[in-house]
Structures are given as C-alpha cells and as structure tokens.
Amino acid sequence: MTVEMKLSRKEAKLSMAHMWVAFISLLIGGLMGLLQTLVRTGKVTLPFGIDYYQVLTVHGVILALVLTTFFIIGFQTTLMSKTVGMTDRQRKLGWLAFWVMTIGTIITAIMILLGEASVLYTFYAPLAAHPLFYIGLTLVIVGTWIVCFVNFHQLYKWKKQHPGEKSPLLAFMVVINMLIWFVATLGVAATVLLQFIPWSMGIVDDIDILLSRTLFWYFGHPLVYFWLLPAYMAWYAIIPKILGGKLFSDGLARLSFILFLLFSIPVGFHHQLLEPGIDPLWKYIQVVLTFAVVIPSLLTAFSMFAVFESTGRAKGFNSLFGWFKALPWKDVRFLAPMVGMIAFIPGGAGGLINASNQLNQVVHNTIWVTGHFHITVATTVMLTFFGISYWLIPVLTGRKLDAKTNRLGIIQTIVWTVGMIFMSGSMHIAGLLGAPRRSSFSEYGGTEQATEWIGYQFAQAIGGTILFIGILLMIYTFLYMTFFAPKGEEEFPIAEEEEEASPTPAIFENWKLWIGVMAVLILFAYTIPLIDIIENAPPGSSPFKWPIGRG
C-alpha cells in the first residue's frame, strides 16, 4: 500500500496560486460567453464598439486554454505532492513555471482586449494577430513544459528510492497526462514559432495555411484528453473514497491511461475531414484511431459502475438497482462529478458523430460542434473540476467543507446542469437545422432558413444566462471556501485498491515501451501526410486582420 505524504503549506500555496488564476478566468470567460449568446439572438448589440469576434476570442482562449491549464496543473501538483513528494527545488521550478505561464497569459489577453488578436481560440491563418499574441501563447506553453519535466522528475526520483515497487496510481496518471500534453504541444509550438511569429512580424510574406491547421489539430484534439484525464483521475481514485468504497482495479485504471497515451495524439485529421489537400486514406486511418479512444472510455465506465454497485451492495442494498440508492447524492463531492459522468454519455455519442466521415459532412461547420464541446468540456470536465474544488480548496486553505459549502455546491450543480441543458441542447438542435458556428450573424437578413433556428438561439441566451448565474455562485463559493469556511483539516480523499483485485502487470510501468509505441503510431499517422502537405503546398497567404482590411 502506498504511503500518502503530507501536503506542506508551501506546496498548498503553489497550487492555490493556480486556482486563483483558474477561477478569475472562469468569471471573465463566462461573462464573454453570456455576451455571445445575447448577441446571437439578433436583438442585442455590444456597447462601446466592442467586436463580437474579440469577445469570442477572449471566451475561447480564457476558458479552453487558461482556466483548464491552470486548474489542471494546480490539481496535479497536489496529487504529485501527496503521492511521490516535492523537493524545494521542484517547488521553485513550479513557481517559475507559474509566472512564465501567467506573464504569457497577460500578454495574450492584452492583445485580445486591444483588438489586435480577434483570431478566435483556433487562431486559423490567414487571420493574423499581433506578434505579441503568439509570443504570449509561446510563454504559456514553455511554462507548462517546465511543469512537465518537474512531474517527470518527481516520479523518476520516487522510482529510484523505491526500486521494484509499483508507482502510486495518481502519480502514474499525472505523468501520462503530462506526456500527452508535452508531445501534443510540440505541434502547436512548431506552427507558432516557425510559421505564425515570422509571418506576423513580416519576416516572411506568406503562410502555408494547410500546414498550420494540421499542426494545430495535431495538438488540438489531444488537448481534449488533457482536459478529460484529470477528471478520470478523480473518477478512478478519489470518488471511490468519497463513496466509502475502494478502487475497482489499479491495473484496469493504468491500462485505460496507457491507451489514451497511445491513441489520443494521432487523431487530429478527424477535425479536418472537410479540409482539401489531405489524402482521404490518411483521414480514414486517423478516424479509425479516433474510434480506438472509445475503448478506454468504456473501460472507465465499466470500472466506475462496478465501484458504485460493489459499494452499494457492501452497504446492504442487494436488489438489482438498490445500490443506486446508496450513492451519496447529497454530497456535492460526488454529485457534481456524477452529473459530469452522466453528461459524458451523450457527449461521447456526439463525439462519435463528429469523427464519422459521413455524419461529419452534416454537422461540421454548424453550432452542433459548439454544443458538443460544451456538453463534454463545459459539463463533464467542468462539473468534475467543481466537484474536486469543494474538497481541494479547503485542503489548500486549511478549512473545512461545511454544510453551507455543500448546500451551495448542490445548488450550483443543479443551476449549471439546467443552464447547459438549455444551451447545449439548443445548440445541437440549431446545428441540425444548419445554424453556423463562429458567426455573429443570426437572422441573416431575415432568410427563411434562419427563422428555423432563431428560436433556439434565444434558448441559448436563456441557457447562457443561467450558466452565468452558476458561475457567480461558483465564484462566491470559492471565496467562501478560501476565506470564511470554518478552519480545520479537510480529508484528501484517495481510495485504496480492492483486496481481491488482480495484481497490476509489471509491463504497465515499462515507460520506454509505451513511449516507443506512441512515437511509432504518431510517426505512422503523420509522417507521410506532412511530407505530402509540404511538398504539394498551395500558394501561401499574406496576413489578414479583423476587421478585414486592417492587415
């Protein structure tokens, strides 16, 4: 059994710094999202000359990149400290990474707010931003790389001190996630450093658009798993403890994370199914690899429901579904992640639709895709992150999760769920009716087709308003947990494994093997297509700045 280490106040302070940036980002990005839904009704105009695409860029970058990255690193820092420990030098490097990321975020945000980077979250060429926007993004990525190598060194040092022992599960999971992040960000770093910065500075005249998008999506889809895997960490290793049960299978948990490591990166082409210039054979291969990622998700679903049932039956609920009643529905640490798990069922099904070549033709450039994004990341991932926060923030601040926090959390979870049903549900329906994404236009001059979806855009505004209320509730609860909750020592819930569980195969700890297989799959999926894209590159494009004509 792995011995848990005590989380020092200095380590807690580092993690808490990340949480502050994450929750400030939640407030700013959420407000921008509310404004978008109001504009898309066709009845609201932004004041003071604020541009819709400026707001949309802030929303995407602040929520999808800043909030998630800072929360994940803050959470994973505590997991590593609790399971394998953190030296003073590692903590100092953690602070260096935090400030590099924060400075990069501030530079990027200033450029967006000045109207110099209305290029959206995907920053597709030929739309061009100010060079400082790309430099800021680069600093954020460099900061995360520092964290990657700190985490790698933490596990390496633990392994040297405990030869022949199985590494702590949560540390194993964190290293897998940071490996995915590091390898995936090589793509976006390449396009930013070698294409976007020289192009935006006028050092080169043109940019290869297809190559830039391909390198972005080499990063863009693994990013989804970087968001999702910390939620899986909580589901596998923390929720069972909250239930009063035990981890179903250490080996199965590790296998699912290894499968994510292998299959989450060579899948970017399923975002480019309508992109000309990529051989259909390679699109097909990456779609097949995309469907392989379904396997670890199904393993996770099996594992979680096995934990739910075994825990319920151990408490005496022996009827077919009686164990369902035994679940702690009034404990927000369980309720919020559980609603996230349930949302992942339709969210995962929508992902299969998006990755299917034929069905993708129908929904590709519609707001259906935005709805899918919100039901997976903004519901499954964020509700799990909120559920983590209700015990993690008290742990970091030396306070208790009291009845008031629990009650506020349950209300917030319900408000968030209702708001997302309205917003994401109406986005899916409007998308099937042809409503486009990435567009501030709603009524399209009163065209007949637009009348079919405009009502659903009003529903999105209703949902967005409810969600913003949920954000305000979450911010209030965060401040309460930080400053006003009763002082005390809150439990850091890490589950033990079932006694009769099968032993974990030693091969799961063979890092050279799995990193090698991952590299082979990536090289197989991308080498020939990238050579083809570069050799047969279309004419490059000069930069355009929004509003068009500024460049």
Side-chain angles (χ1 to χ4, degrees):
M1 183 178 70
T2 303
V3 177
E4 293 178 22
M5 302 184 183
K6 186 173 178 61
L7 191 69
S8 73
R9 299 313 305 163
K10 290 181 178 179
E11 292 161 359
K13 187 176 179 181
L14 173 59
S15 295
M16 197 61 194
H18 288 83
M19 294 297 155
W20 271 106
V21 176
F23 280 94
I24 291 169
S25 300
L26 175 66
L27 180 61
I28 297 171
L31 176 60
M32 297 302 104
L34 172 62
L35 294 177
Q36 287 174 71
T37 61
L38 295 175
V39 169
R40 287 181 64 87
T41 63
K43 305 297 181 184
V44 175
T45 303
L46 293 173
F48 312 118
I50 299 173
D51 183 72
Y52 175 85
Y53 298 101
Q54 187 178 4
V55 168
L56 179 56
T57 304
V58 173
H59 176 71
V61 171
I62 290 292
L63 291 187
L65 292 178
V66 178
L67 182 158
T68 54
T69 302
F70 276 86
F71 185 94
I72 289 167
I73 290 176
F75 174 48
Q76 291 183 165
T77 295
T78 65
L79 297 182
M80 296 299 284
S81 297
K82 283 288 288 183
T83 55
V84 296
M86 174 177 276
T87 65
D88 287 342
R89 183 170 180 270
Q90 289 166 346
R91 190 183 68 254
K92 289 175 182 176
L93 285 172
W95 276 113
L96 173 63
F98 170 80
W99 286 113
V100 171
M101 290 165 56
T102 302
I103 292 169
T105 298
I106 292 170
I107 293 172
T108 301
I110 289 173
M111 289 300 102
I112 299 171
L113 293 174
L114 290 176
E116 294 290 337
S118 297
V119 291
L120 311 191
Y121 145 74
T122 48
F123 57 90
Y124 278 170
L127 279 178
H130 192 281
L132 284 175
F133 172 82
Y134 304 113
I135 292 170
L137 287 180
T138 302
L139 288 175
V140 173
I141 292 170
V142 169
T144 64
W145 285 353
I146 297 173
V147 178
C148 287
F149 288 103
V150 168
N151 292 156
F152 299 160
H153 185 258
Q154 284 174 285
L155 184 60
Y156 171 77
K157 184 176 180 180
W158 187 93
K159 294 282 285 183
K160 287 196 72 174
Q161 294 172 346
H162 302 81
E165 291 186 35
K166 179 174 66 176
S167 63
L169 175 61
L170 283 167
F172 177 89
M173 291 174 159
V174 169
V175 169
I176 289 279
N177 199 33
M178 297 311 280
L179 265 173
I180 292 172
W181 173 262
F182 177 73
V183 176
T185 50
L186 293 175
V188 74
T191 187
V192 169
L193 290 173
L194 302 179
Q195 290 188 285
F196 279 96
I197 291 178
W199 177 64
S200 64
M201 295 178 71
I203 297 173
V204 297
D205 295 329
D206 300 321
I207 190 171
D208 184 334
I209 293 174
L210 178 57
L211 180 61
S212 70
R213 291 188 184 182
T214 301
L215 289 172
F216 176 86
W217 284 117
Y218 169 89
F219 155 79
H221 197 80
L223 174 63
V224 174
Y225 300 108
F226 175 69
W227 297 327
L228 187 62
L229 290 191
Y232 276 39
M233 295 174 201
W235 297 358
Y236 270 114
I238 290 169
I239 293 296
K241 180 72 171 180
I242 292 170
L243 295 176
K246 295 189 176 181
L247 175 68
F248 175 69
S249 169
D250 179 277
L252 186 147
R254 290 176 198 256
L255 174 61
S256 69
F257 269 66
I258 288 170
L259 292 175
F260 277 119
L261 176 67
L262 301 183
F263 295 116
S264 65
I265 298 175
V267 296
F269 283 170
H270 82 247
H271 286 268
Q272 298 175 272
L273 291 176
L274 296 185
E275 191 92 62
I278 300 174
D279 191 304
L281 172 65
W282 293 104
K283 292 180 182 179
Y284 170 77
I285 289 171
Q286 293 207 16
V287 164
V288 172
L289 292 172
T290 302
F291 277 76
V293 185
V294 176
I295 297 170
S297 293
L298 293 176
L299 291 177
T300 303
F302 171 80
S303 178
M304 292 314 304
F305 279 92
V307 169
F308 297 159
E309 182 171 357
S310 61
T311 303
R313 292 190 183 281
K315 294 179 179 180
F317 293 84
N318 293 318
S319 61
L320 184 60
F321 294 109
W323 53 269
F324 198 73
K325 299 176 183 177
L327 299 176
W329 297 104
K330 294 183 180 179
D331 187 338
V332 71
R333 298 175 302 167
F334 167 77
L335 177 65
M338 182 62 176
V339 175
M341 290 183 212
I342 294 170
F344 200 52
I345 298 172
L352 296 178
I353 290 171
N354 296 341
S356 303
N357 185 64
Q358 296 88 337
L359 294 174
N360 184 268
Q361 311 295 313
V362 179
V363 300
H364 179 80
N365 205 34
T366 73
I367 204 166
W368 160 285
V369 176
T370 314
H372 165 72
F373 188 87
H374 281 82
I375 203 172
T376 50
V377 179
T379 309
T380 297
V381 172
M382 284 313 302
L383 279 178
T384 302
F385 286 2
F386 292 157
I388 293 168
S389 300
Y390 293 119
W391 60 262
L392 180 60
I393 302 302
V395 164
L396 297 177
T397 56
R399 296 182 182 272
K400 294 287 290 180
L401 195 170
D402 61 355
K404 179 178 178 180
T405 303
N406 191 70
R407 184 168 60 252
L408 285 169
I410 290 173
I411 294 170
Q412 195 274 343
T413 301
I414 294 170
V415 169
W416 192 270
T417 304
V418 172
M420 200 58 73
I421 288 171
F422 270 94
M423 193 175 80
S424 179
S426 57
M427 283 177 172
H428 279 85
I429 297 171
L432 293 176
L433 294 173
R437 57 185 170 128
R438 300 195 184 106
S439 172
S440 64
F441 299 109
S442 309
E443 299 168 318
Y444 281 86
T447 59
E448 184 176 350
Q449 185 180 6
T451 61
E452 297 178 2
W453 68 61
I454 193 68
Y456 294 104
Q457 292 180 173
F458 276 94
Q460 292 166 34
I462 294 170
T465 303
I466 297 171
L467 282 167
F468 190 67
I469 294 170
I471 288 173
L472 295 177
L473 272 172
M474 191 66 232
I475 297 297
Y476 173 79
T477 307
F478 171 76
L479 294 174
Y480 176 79
M481 290 187 291
T482 302
F483 297 112
F484 304 109
K487 292 185 178 180
E489 189 168 332
E490 183 59 42
E491 176 190 31
F492 197 117
I494 299 179
E496 297 178 5
E497 189 178 12
E498 291 277 6
E499 289 84 354
E500 61 271 18
S502 301
T504 301
I507 196 172
F508 288 174
E509 298 266 10
N510 190 333
W511 290 100
K512 292 180 181 178
L513 171 65
W514 302 119
I515 293 173
V517 174
M518 173 191 67
V520 168
L521 283 172
I522 292 170
L523 291 171
F524 168 70
Y526 272 104
T527 302
I528 294 176
L530 281 175
I531 292 172
D532 184 53
I533 288 170
I534 293 169
E535 286 185 345
N536 299 287
S541 174
S542 56
F544 291 82
K545 290 192 176 181
W546 183 263
I548 299 300
R550 287 177 53 200

